[in-house]
Amino acid sequence: MPRSSSVDLLTAQPDEVAPEGPKPLWAPAFPFTVTTRVSVWVGVVVVAGLFGWGAWQRRWIADDGLIVLRTVRNLLAGNGPVFNAGERVESNTSTLWTYLNYLGAVIGGPVRLEYVTLTLALTLSVAGVVLVMLGTARLYAPRLQGRRALLVPAGALVYIAIPPARDFATSGLENGLVLAWIGLLWWMLVCWSQQQRDRAWFTAALAVVAGLSVLVRPELALIGGVALVMMLVAARGWRTRLLIVVTGGLLPVAYQIFRMGYYALLVPQTALAKDATGDKWGQGLIYLANFNKPYALWIPALLLIALGAVLVLTRSAPWWITPADAPGGGYRRWARLVQSPAAVVIFMVVSGLLQGLYWIRQGGDFMHGRVLLTPVFCLLAPVAVIPLTMPERTRFARDKAALLAGGAAVLWLAVAGWSLWAANSPGLGSDATRVTYSGIVDERRFYSQATGHAHPLTAADYLDYPRMRAVVVAINNTPDGALLLPSGNYDVWDVVPAFPPPPPPPGVPMDTWRREIAPHTVFFTNLGMVGMNVGLNTRVIDQIGLANPLAAHTARLEDGRIGHDKNLFPDWAVAEGPWLKKHPYVPPYLDEGWIKEAGVALQCPETARKLESIRAPLGIRRFLSNVLHSLDYTSYRINRVPQYELLRCGLDEPELDGTPYTGLPATGP
């Protein structure tokens, strides 16, 4: 009988002879027995339902999720993909997530942006889990041909049981998009590994999905890039390789050119602000321990490794060889080994390990568990579902076969038991909402407690966060414009008034004129809740550099809180804007000398050129200039201490009240 392709094996019914030629990829992947087929879909429905229900019970939108929506508001208003109008800054890490929310807002029309992002996040999160289960079920399909077996959820149960997985399924961040992308890539790679011959349309589609990695999140290029390399190695002929290069690279390369010309950077400003190339191994290990301890994640890790060992022991054939591997040798054989189920499994496991190492090196995050969810999801993908079946008696004696089958069932029950326990875990307990030495908190619980809302979803809910109502009051009370700085009193903002406005043209009411020419600036860490509760004519900047181009180009503080380890002094904000710069108009904790020094430091030629690259009108010449200088702009750093910045730039210190500045307070001895 002629050799059948792996797709034939997936689509043939028991006791039937597989027809010649490969079946379409969309043909049923699990038509072996009714029991197996039903078990797959029951598992998918149950896990998807539990995950969706669990995520809905913990629904919320994070402050960082609101940052994305501020950019969407500017897109809808015609200001471009920026956080503040007139300043080309990319304050969102995930490009694709930003534009998905924009598309959702356009389609949704009058629906609140918060509800658009909530719907997208939850839908994509559940879709990611479903896709990874279907991909793994298809992975095991050939070995279960004609055999009675149950395909039951294992790794998928572990993932949805981890409380942070349900927290960040609706956070307004890109976690759901990441899950959906990994799930889709996994399913497509499994299908690709089971192909006998190239299909141009499927190859192109897989290359597009792999290429989107860097637009989902920059560090996912470690996954998508390797997937493209695997495809190039396995490709047959230069035309297929050219197709992979073009379709896989078109979107990311085009956007990278746009980023360099529009934002004058090689990376999103968030990566610059958090110094994504730096390392904090010690903090990363603390973050890993913080994630593991409440849920004893080492337990399911050991159980799933044991289950994987049983699956390997009971395989019916060398699973690293596909049916089309026999002919040919040399490079072609190596190419077929790359395009095999075993290679895809190894790829996903190694990808998970690399992602985990990257984040541990980076120092993790200040949000409990968030950035380690992606590595965990990758590691769990090959065992998202597992087959429970009796090993073939041709390979094992009856007693050994029963022992292996019983052992697998016991291990799976242990995984299910752990999942039930972990799903009801109290998590970080009393430390969940306290910023301790580690700097890590349970963000959902923190904001629920701080706002008084069990499910803070909208920007209006965040008005009950300390300082938020006060900032709206302060803006309304300063019609001439002002710089607002956070005060020690949560109900008050320190106000630095704007220069008095010129008189209005004849016939124009004073109040209207003042509001048009004297915008406000708010200097605060929580960009999302502020940015969504004030108008787009109010500039919102932070000291850590997510939206502030000056802060982003300062050096990372070694002892700073992870994710917040840049801290620009507010003196720079006073010096930069049209604000009065002397006491008593500036708060007493600011020094007039520092403000003057910062004002002179802003005249540093390199700094002025960097700011001009994102503030000057954008034409073709400016765009091309930004592209050419984007590497220099990305690596450029300033000193956050104004006096040291003057020394770096070789600028003279300014005079204070006609006398040289000595560094002492103006009112000091």
Side-chain angles (χ1 to χ4, degrees), residues 25 29 74 92 98 113 149 163 242 336 400 418 449 538 545 562 566 576 646 669:
L25 281 170
N74 273 301
N92 308 322
T98 300
L113 291 178
L242 181 62
R336 291 303 301 164
K400 289 185 178 180
W418 175 90
Q449 176 178 292
T538 297
I562 191 67
K566 292 190 176 183
E576 187 184 21
L646 291 177

Side-chain angles (χ1 to χ4, degrees), residues 241-257:
R241 291 189 178 92
L242 181 62
L243 177 68
I244 293 169
V245 170
V246 171
T247 55
L250 182 61
L251 285 176
V253 170
Y255 187 79
Q256 182 62 23
I257 295 172

Side-chain angles (χ1 to χ4, degrees), residues 15-33:
D15 303 322
E16 290 181 350
V17 176
E20 293 288 341
K23 293 282 188 177
L25 281 170
W26 54 83
F30 322 111
F32 309 103
T33 65

Side-chain angles (χ1 to χ4, degrees), residues 70 156 159 171 304 422 441:
R70 166 87 171 191
Y159 184 80
S171 63
L304 291 173
V441 297

